[in-house]
Amino acid sequence: ADGYYEYATQECVYSTSDYSDMVFLLSYSFNKVVYEQYNSTVGKFVGFTEVGVKYAENFNEDKAFLQQLKARVDTFCRHNAQISDSAVRDKA
C-alpha cells in the first residue's frame, strides 16, 4: 500500500467498422494521474503536469520515435482490431 505506482498504457480507440477513425494513445501515469500522453491524431506528446510537459518536450524532439508511434495505428491497432472483430463476428 505504501510506495509509488508508475505505468504506461497503450490503447486503440475507434468507433467505425472500417477503422477510419482509429487513434493510438500511449499514456504514462504516476499514482493514477496521467502526466503525459501521445495521441496519433495530434502526432506528438502532450504533458498534463509540470513534469509531463518537460518529458513531452523531450519526446517530441525525437522525430523517429514519433514516426514509430504514428505507425502503430496500422501495425498495432488496425491489425489487432481486425483479428478481434472477426473473432467476435464469427461467434455471433
Side-chain angles (χ1 to χ4, degrees), residues 14-22 74 78 81-82 85 89:
Y14 63 99
S15 62
T16 59
S17 60
D18 66 354
Y19 313 121
S20 60
D21 63 342
M22 183 77 69
D74 293 318
R78 282 195 182 96
Q82 290 168 343
D85 285 357
R89 279 192 299 271

Side-chain angles (χ1 to χ4, degrees), residues 32-45:
K32 299 182 182 180
V33 175
V34 176
Y35 60 86
E36 73 175 317
Q37 182 179 69
Y38 172 82
N39 180 320
S40 63
T41 303
V42 177
K44 66 178 185 175
F45 281 89

